[in-house]
């Protein structure tokens, strides 16, 4: 048979420090706020606050409430326990509308009665009475509450019962032979209190009205119903408030629990654990994978394409080619390339700070993402959210998805700004280009000198006759060597320059690609990855808090 103390002992022996539990539940509910249903989070927070408040009150008193249907004999049981007619017992139902409190040992109980919201006119102080008997000694430190009925047509009665049941340390449920199977009490009160078995007693009152040969089967029936409610460890007792049968045993059971001074803690602990359990049911227990590098890389790739990174990189390469050729080509032909527009400037990139200020443009002119690119961005964001949220419960998976897209409306502007702010590295030409340029001009000057000299010779009246004083090398006149050599070397140098410029353009394009992609990666990190990680971190915080609270 279940001993009366089984419950509280078991609970308390494995109990954490209650303040640890309060803290763990508080952290979990804070992290769950906005992610789980508000009503569950509100309940957890209200429970935590109430428990914290109750813990702050005197530990010297234990609140014991007598609850049950109208006419079950709550007020009579209250009087029988007290050994005095304190509460009104009536023939007309319902009789009790407001809870009455009887306090044994009034010292320091004021605050607790205030917390319970019992008006002074409904308070009875037992040590202010002179006839203290053995009942009173047994119940020292008890605040006994006679509650209104829970099945009344009076709404105020339910509210009062519900309110006080929440604040009570030990509950005595009074059933009577007629209504013990009523769904109202089982569904509304008993079954939901399955987490609170350790702080409950159930009494079948009016047993004097049950024939002896039917008592046991009735008690068995009630036991079965209680087991079905999940209250298999709750003690069940038989009493008659009229004849006094079983009342001493009930008083003893109550007194025993109160003396152990553990019901208050057990009740508060049960409240915290039950709120934690509800949060946990809503949260689920699944783990989640970390965001994989590959997923993030795929997202960055989609962002980079949508931002037009390949367009910009191609523009960097061709701009570098054009500028390089301009700088290193044969001066006579390279000016022609000036007629071609600069691809970077056409995109309104690489204007420098002053340039952008002058044009007054907030945006680059990189073509905006195509519908296909945008669809890919959406698909990658979804895939990333799905990857980590797949094992999570619905509300958490939803909140991860919400977080993943919450900042997507900013994406276009942010990607464009990232392109605009990235130094694509086309500003200066390499040093060798300067030398080549100098050499080109030198060769041009040489060629022009050769040309001039040759022109002078051609215009000479002696032309054709040959001037013996024209210097020559191996029979070739120096002016011709200068002219042809200058032009040929210039063209050759231009060719070599072209080759070097191509290599430079390619490496600059690669560098630009790296820088642009890293700028895009920061945008992806800020707009998607960080918000998703924040949800996962919140989930982990909730799970950790609940794991501690439910340990
Ligand atoms: N025969 C018998 N009558 C009882 C017993 N307990 C209470 N009564 C009677 O049942 C009626 C209702 O008792 P109360 O104590 O007023 O019941 P209550 O649960 O407080 O009722 P409400 O305040 O209306 O919710 C009264 O007439 C009591 O005398 C009992 O154990 N046996
Ligand atoms: Mg009553």
């Amino acid at each position: 048979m279940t001993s009366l103390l089984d419950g509280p002992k078991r609970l308390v022996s494995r109990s954490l420090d209650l303040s640890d539990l309060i803290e763990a539940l508080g952290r979990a509910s804070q992290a769950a706020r906005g992610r789980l249903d508000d009503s569950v989070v509100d309940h957890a927070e209200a429970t935590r606050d109430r428990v914290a408040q109750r813990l702050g009150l005197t530990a010297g008193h234990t609140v014991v409430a007598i609850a049950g249907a109208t006419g079950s004999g709550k007020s009579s049981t209250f009087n029988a326990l007290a050994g005095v007619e304190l509460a009104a017992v009536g023939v007309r139902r319902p009789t009790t509308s407001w809870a009455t409190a009887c306090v044994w040992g009034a010292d320091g109980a004021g605050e607790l009665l205030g917390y319970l919201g019992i008006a002074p006119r409904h308070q009875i102080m037992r040590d202010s009475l002179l006839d203290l008997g053995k009942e009173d000694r047994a119940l020292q430190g008890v605040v006994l509450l006679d509650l209104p009925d829970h099945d009344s047509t009076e709404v105020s009665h339910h509210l009062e019962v519900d309110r006080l049941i929440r604040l009570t340390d030990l509950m005595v449920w009074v059933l009577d032979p007629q209504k013990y199977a009523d769904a109202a009490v089982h569904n509304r009160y008993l079954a939901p209190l399955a987490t609170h078995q350790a702080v409950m007693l159930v009494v079948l009152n009016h047993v004097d009205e049950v024939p002896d040969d039917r008592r046991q089967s009735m008690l068995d029936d009630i036991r079965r119903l209680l087991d079905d409610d999940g209250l298999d460890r709750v003690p069940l007792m038989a009493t008659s408030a009229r004849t006094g049968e079983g009342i001493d045993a009930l008083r003893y059971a109550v007194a025993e629990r109160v003396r152990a001074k553990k019901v208050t803690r057990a009740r508060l602990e049960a409240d915290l654990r039950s709120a934690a359990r509800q949060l946990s049911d809503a949260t689920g227990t699944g783990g989640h994978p970390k965001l994989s590098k590959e997923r993030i890389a795929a997202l960055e790739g989609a962002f980079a394409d949508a931002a037009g990174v390949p367009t910009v990189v191609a523009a960097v390469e061709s701009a570098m080619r054009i500028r390089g050729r301009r700088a290193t080509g044969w001066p006579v032909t390279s000016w022609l390339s000036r007629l071609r527009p600069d691809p970077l400037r056409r995109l309104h990139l690489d204007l420098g700070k002053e340039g952008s200020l002058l044009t007054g443009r907030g945006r680059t002119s990189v073509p905006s993402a195509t519908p296909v690119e945008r669809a890919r961005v959406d698909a990658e964001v979804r895939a990333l959210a799905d990857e980590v949220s797949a094992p999570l419960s619905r509300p958490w998976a939803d909140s991860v998805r919400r977080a993943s897209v919450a900042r997507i409306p900013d994406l276009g502007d942010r990607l464009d700004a990232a392109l605009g702010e990235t130094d694509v590295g086309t500003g200066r030409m390499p040093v060798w280009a300067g030398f080549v340029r100098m050499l080109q001009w030198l060769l041009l000057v040489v060629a022009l000198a050769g040309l001039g000299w040759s022109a002078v010779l051609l215009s000479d009246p002696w032309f054709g006759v040959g001037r013996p004083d024209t210097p020559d090398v191996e029979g070739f006149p120096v002016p011709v060597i200068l002219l042809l050599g200058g032009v040929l070397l210039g063209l050759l140098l231009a060719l070599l320059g072209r080759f070097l410029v191509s290599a430079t353009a390619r490496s600059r394009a690669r560098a630009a690609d790296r820088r642009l992609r890293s700028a895009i990666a920061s945008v992806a990190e800020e707009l998607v990855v960080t918000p998703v990680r924040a949800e996962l971190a919140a989930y982990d915080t909730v799970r950790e808090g609940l794991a501690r609270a439910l340990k």
Side-chain angles (χ1 to χ4, degrees), residues 4-175:
L4 285 179
L5 286 174
D6 272 3
K9 264 189 192 152
R10 209 183 69 76
L11 254 179
V12 171
S13 63
R14 56 166 190 160
S15 75
L16 281 175
D17 190 349
L18 270 187
S19 52
D20 268 5
L21 265 178
I22 291 174
E23 208 260 333
L25 182 65
R27 228 157 1 99
S29 52
Q30 199 181 3
R33 174 66 71 197
R35 284 144 179 149
L36 292 183
D37 197 61
D38 271 349
S39 63
V40 183
V41 180
D42 288 346
H43 174 67
E45 286 186 347
T47 305
R48 186 207 52 188
D49 293 348
R50 175 164 45 75
V51 170
Q53 195 188 355
R54 173 71 176 98
L55 268 185
L57 294 172
T58 167
H61 286 87
T62 306
V63 183
V64 181
I66 303 180
T70 185
S72 57
K74 299 177 295 297
S75 300
S76 308
T77 306
F78 179 90
N79 291 339
L81 284 175
V84 200
E85 293 295 315
L86 297 173
V89 171
V91 184
R92 280 183 51 229
R93 304 260 74 83
T95 305
T96 310
S97 295
W98 300 105
T100 299
C102 183
V103 184
W104 282 266
D107 265 1
E111 241 187 316
L112 182 58
L113 288 163
Y115 162 82
L116 295 171
I118 307 283
R121 68 178 182 284
H122 294 127
Q123 301 173 4
I124 301 158
M125 301 300 166
R126 275 308 276 159
D127 39 11
S128 66
L129 303 175
L130 295 174
D131 54 347
L132 294 182
K134 74 171 171 41
E135 294 86 3
D136 302 293
R137 282 192 296 279
L139 296 177
Q140 274 303 308
V142 169
V143 175
L144 189 64
L145 298 180
D146 176 25
L147 299 188
D149 58 304
H150 61 67
D151 55 349
S152 181
T153 47
E154 297 281 340
V155 176
S156 64
H157 289 200
H158 312 180
L159 295 178
E160 180 77 337
V161 172
D162 289 359
R163 186 179 73 79
L164 284 167
I165 286 295
R166 264 196 292 279
L167 305 179
T168 296
D169 299 325
L170 179 63
M171 292 169 263
V172 178
W173 285 95
V174 181
L175 304 178

Side-chain angles (χ1 to χ4, degrees), residues 1-8 170-175 186 189-191 193-204 219 222-237 250 253 257:
M1 202 188 118
T2 319
S3 131
L4 285 179
L5 286 174
D6 272 3
L170 179 63
M171 292 169 263
V172 178
W173 285 95
V174 181
L175 304 178
H186 289 276
Y189 293 98
L190 297 178
L193 283 167
T195 44
H196 289 63
Q197 318 205 48
V199 293
M200 278 168 77
L201 298 173
V202 175
V203 164
L204 173 65
L219 285 170
I222 297 175
R223 180 78 267 167
R224 233 185 343 268
L225 290 170
L226 291 177
D227 289 355
D228 290 348
D229 290 334
L231 296 170
D232 53 313
R233 288 188 288 112
V234 166
L236 170 62
M237 312 176 79
L250 176 61
R257 290 177 168 224

Side-chain angles (χ1 to χ4, degrees), residues 288-321:
H288 60 80
K290 278 207 165 66
L291 266 182
S292 67
K293 283 205 182 73
E294 294 73 28
R295 262 283 147 250
I296 298 175
L299 178 75
E300 290 167 358
F303 276 18
D305 286 351
V309 169
T311 312
V312 176
V313 170
V316 165
E317 186 168 347
S318 80
M320 282 308 290
R321 260 181 229 278

